[in-house]
Amino acid sequence: MLTGRETLGSIEQSLSDLRREEAELTKRIERSTRALADLQERQSEAYRDLARFRLDTDAAGALNTRLDSAAREARRLLDKRTSDYKVLTEQLRQCEAERGQLQKKRAELDSARDAAENQMDELMEAVDSRLEKDSAYQDQLKAAEAAQATAEAASVKAETSRRDRDEKGKAYDDDPLFVYLWQRGFGTPDYHHRGLVRSLDAWVAGLIRYHDARANYAMLTGIPERMTKHAERCAETARQEQEKLAEFSRNAMTDAAGTDLVGSIEAMSEEIDGIDTRLDELDRQIETLSSALADFSSGEDSDFKKAEDHLSVSLQSDDLNELWRAAMDTPSPEDEKIVQRIEDLKERIEQVARESRQDRELQRDFGRRRAELSDVIKRFRSKGYGSWESTFSDDRLTTVLLGELVKGAITGAEYWSRAERAHKRRKPRGRKVAFPNGSGLPKSMGGFGGYGGSSGGFAGGNGRPGGNDSFGGGGFSRGGSFGGGGFKTGDRF
């Protein structure tokens, strides 16, 4: 059985190892890229030597000037590129260093939090036994349960009234004449029209029996609002009673431990959450810098491409091709040496370029695998799978499956699916007297911030299942009319 923190720690360590390998590969590609540029420069020099040997002084000078110009511009671009590369490398180093420090601090906090959580777990039975005999705690437990029951009932009634309003209010809302008079405030002090308009409105009101309908509709729309406010007040009362209950539990745990374990755990969890937020920011920065450095190392940046263009245009010119053919047609000892040098450099350039292409493909594969690992880590954190209560029944998550994920044999989605199936939540010890349903427990141990597992309100249909009782014993009976007599519209003209 693996703990969530062991599993998450293994994945994070694998990601760190993969990043180190990727960084080494990036450096190797950068060295190959620089070597390729150097070989092209040396090839250009060889062509200049061949030009000086084969051409008269004036022609050779013109050719050398053109080659030197291209080489100088290429060198200028490469020097600028080297400077930019150093800046990016330093930024990445700083981000990686900060990330390493934060990871170390997070590991220390995790260890301290684990110790506090385990100590708290060991004391659960003793705290339960103490509170079972505490009459003040038992009285508060009853008060919290009663407040919760009231809040749940109020929530059910508020939801019932909202459904009745939606169902029975449809006939009113669909009648344009009723809506017209209602929006004008007819029959209320807010209606200010006089003369012919008032007379016509009164005539329309008589046709559709507006006065009776208005009273019914006002009650139909007003009751849900009042019930919702009542449910909110009950929910707030329940929360307050739950907090009082949780305070009993936390105080009893503090007495048993000799220190505020709950407060310490929550403080460390908050600090860890802050570190995780910063780690996410750093990961995004590292991703951006790594991508930029990957472009640099593979020669995909604009400066390298410009430098490459300057050299390749000169090397592929008609004049140099002619020099090559002439040297091959009329060989001499000096010609042969220069031609052989050019030939060797050409082969070396092709070899370095081939190796660089292979490394760049491997680099792209590294990037894909790193992204998969990063996504799994984000999912673990968002689901709280690194908490004390999380466990995994599949030990392969940190061995075989993790190895396959690192190698790219399975995707992050496949790994995550296996992790979800193996995930379980362990329960704290004790008889759940002190922390009923997680009330007052730290979140990392399954706490929910309030008694009954609810940290929010009770409105919106979150009451007891099947609770269809009406508020005050009355309420809306389905299928009938509201306030007596039906409301029929559209058939009086």
Side-chain angles (χ1 to χ4, degrees):
M1 181 73 69
L2 296 170
T3 68
R5 286 172 188 163
E6 287 172 343
T7 308
L8 180 57
S10 295
I11 301 171
E12 288 177 333
Q13 183 60 52
S14 294
L15 178 59
S16 296
D17 293 342
L18 189 64
R19 277 188 169 133
R20 279 195 295 272
E21 290 183 52
E22 186 180 18
E24 289 300 318
L25 178 62
T26 299
K27 291 177 182 177
R28 190 170 78 202
I29 295 174
E30 167 61 14
R31 288 194 296 269
S32 296
T33 303
R34 288 201 305 267
L36 192 61
D38 181 63
L39 287 169
Q40 288 174 326
E41 281 192 79
R42 289 165 59 188
Q43 189 180 45
S44 177
E45 292 173 0
Y47 272 113
R48 281 198 297 271
D49 291 343
L50 186 60
R52 281 192 293 268
F53 183 81
R54 296 295 302 166
L55 300 178
D56 60 60
T57 305
D58 291 339
L63 184 61
N64 285 341
T65 299
R66 182 162 59 79
L67 284 173
D68 287 342
S69 175
R72 282 196 300 271
E73 180 60 18
R75 174 48 56 194
R76 185 190 69 79
L77 290 167
L78 290 174
D79 287 344
K80 176 180 178 297
R81 178 180 180 276
T82 299
S83 177
D84 292 342
Y85 183 82
K86 288 180 179 178
V87 171
L88 288 174
T89 302
E90 177 60 21
Q91 290 176 346
L92 180 60
R93 187 198 65 77
Q94 291 175 357
C95 286
E96 292 282 11
E98 183 181 354
R99 194 182 193 284
Q101 291 172 354
L102 286 175
Q103 284 281 37
K104 181 180 179 182
K105 184 175 181 181
R106 191 187 189 285
E108 293 171 352
L109 284 168
D110 257 341
S111 178
R113 184 174 62 173
D114 268 336
E117 288 164 337
N118 290 333
Q119 182 184 2
M120 185 172 173
D121 193 42
E122 291 170 359
L123 292 171
M124 286 291 191
E125 290 281 359
V127 173
D128 277 355
S129 298
R130 170 179 170 174
L131 292 181
E132 276 179 330
K133 303 172 185 176
D134 190 329
S135 59
Y137 175 81
Q138 294 299 326
D139 289 343
Q140 183 57 44
L141 176 61
K142 292 177 183 178
E145 289 174 339
Q148 169 108 351
T150 299
E152 289 175 343
S155 173
V156 170
K157 292 163 189 172
E159 178 60 24
T160 300
S161 69
R162 284 192 290 271
R163 286 197 300 267
D164 278 339
R165 178 193 61 195
D166 294 340
E167 293 174 8
K168 296 185 178 181
K170 189 175 187 304
Y172 298 91
D173 296 334
D174 290 347
D175 189 284
L177 297 178
F178 176 80
V179 172
Y180 161 78
L181 292 174
W182 176 267
Q183 291 178 344
R184 292 169 76 89
F186 187 79
T188 71
D190 294 331
Y191 184 81
H192 301 298
H193 297 283
R194 299 181 180 278
L196 179 60
V197 173
R198 189 181 188 94
S199 298
L200 289 173
D201 286 348
W203 177 69
V204 171
L207 287 176
I208 65 171
R209 294 182 294 171
Y210 174 76
H211 290 290
D212 290 339
R214 188 192 67 77
N216 291 341
Y217 189 70
M219 187 179 301
L220 184 67
T221 56
I223 286 180
E225 183 179 351
R226 292 195 296 274
M227 284 189 168
T228 297
K229 290 181 178 178
H230 173 69
E232 290 172 353
R233 289 194 295 271
C234 290
E236 179 58 31
T237 298
R239 278 193 293 271
Q240 292 173 359
E241 295 300 329
Q242 291 161 14
E243 279 301 314
K244 294 177 185 176
L245 185 69
E247 193 66 25
F248 271 96
S249 301
R250 289 192 290 265
N251 288 339
M253 180 59 70
T254 298
D255 290 343
T259 185
D260 182 12
L261 281 179
V262 177
S264 297
I265 293 168
E266 290 177 339
M268 286 185 284
S269 295
E270 185 176 348
E271 190 172 358
I272 288 171
D273 288 344
I275 290 175
D276 285 343
T277 298
R278 179 56 184 158
L279 286 173
D280 286 340
E281 294 173 355
L282 285 170
D283 284 343
R284 287 193 293 271
Q285 293 176 27
I286 290 171
E287 180 69 27
T288 300
L289 290 168
S290 296
S291 178
L293 284 170
D295 287 342
F296 266 80
S297 64
S298 60
E300 294 298 321
D301 58 290
S302 60
D303 284 339
F304 186 84
K305 287 182 177 180
K306 290 177 183 177
E308 191 176 45
D309 287 343
H310 278 287
L311 286 175
S312 63
V313 168
S314 293
L315 293 174
Q316 294 171 12
S317 67
D318 290 338
D319 290 338
L320 292 179
N321 289 332
E322 182 62 29
L323 284 175
W324 177 269
R325 285 192 296 270
M328 295 298 292
D329 290 341
T330 57
S332 70
E334 291 300 323
D335 276 348
E336 289 177 2
K337 291 179 182 178
I338 298 174
V339 170
Q340 185 61 52
R341 179 155 45 112
I342 292 174
E343 189 67 33
D344 291 343
L345 287 167
K346 181 181 177 182
E347 290 179 2
R348 181 59 181 149
I349 287 172
E350 290 175 353
Q351 179 186 354
V352 172
R354 184 169 56 253
E355 293 171 352
S356 184
R357 284 194 299 271
Q358 293 172 348
D359 282 344
R360 286 199 295 272
E361 181 57 37
L362 182 58
Q363 185 183 53
R364 285 189 286 271
D365 183 56
F366 266 104
R368 287 191 294 268
R369 286 185 277 157
R370 172 170 41 79
E372 296 283 354
L373 277 167
S374 296
D375 182 63
V376 169
I377 290 172
K378 288 177 183 177
R379 291 193 185 196
F380 259 74
R381 289 177 180 168
S382 68
K383 285 286 190 176
Y385 280 6
S387 64
W388 175 89
E389 61 171 346
S390 286
T391 62
F392 294 92
S393 58
D394 191 348
D395 290 345
R396 295 180 303 163
L397 287 172
T398 59
T399 55
V400 177
L401 292 175
L402 182 55
E404 291 180 350
L405 176 61
V406 171
K407 291 185 295 185
I410 62 173
T411 66
E414 289 173 315
Y415 183 90
W416 176 250
S417 177
R418 303 278 188 95
E420 282 197 310
R421 288 199 298 269
H423 181 255
K424 299 183 183 302
R425 295 191 183 276
R426 59 174 166 171
K427 303 294 184 183
R429 298 178 188 176
R431 300 179 298 282
K432 299 180 179 58
V433 176
F435 299 95
N437 296 319
S439 175
L441 268 179
K443 184 179 178 182
S444 63
M445 295 183 71
F448 298 95
Y451 175 71
S454 174
S455 59
F458 296 90
N462 293 322
R464 285 193 299 267
N468 292 321
D469 51 330
S470 59
F471 185 70
F476 307 116
S477 58
R478 300 193 179 280
S481 61
F482 185 88
F487 178 57
K488 298 172 65 177
T489 64
D491 60 350
R492 300 296 297 274
F493 288 91

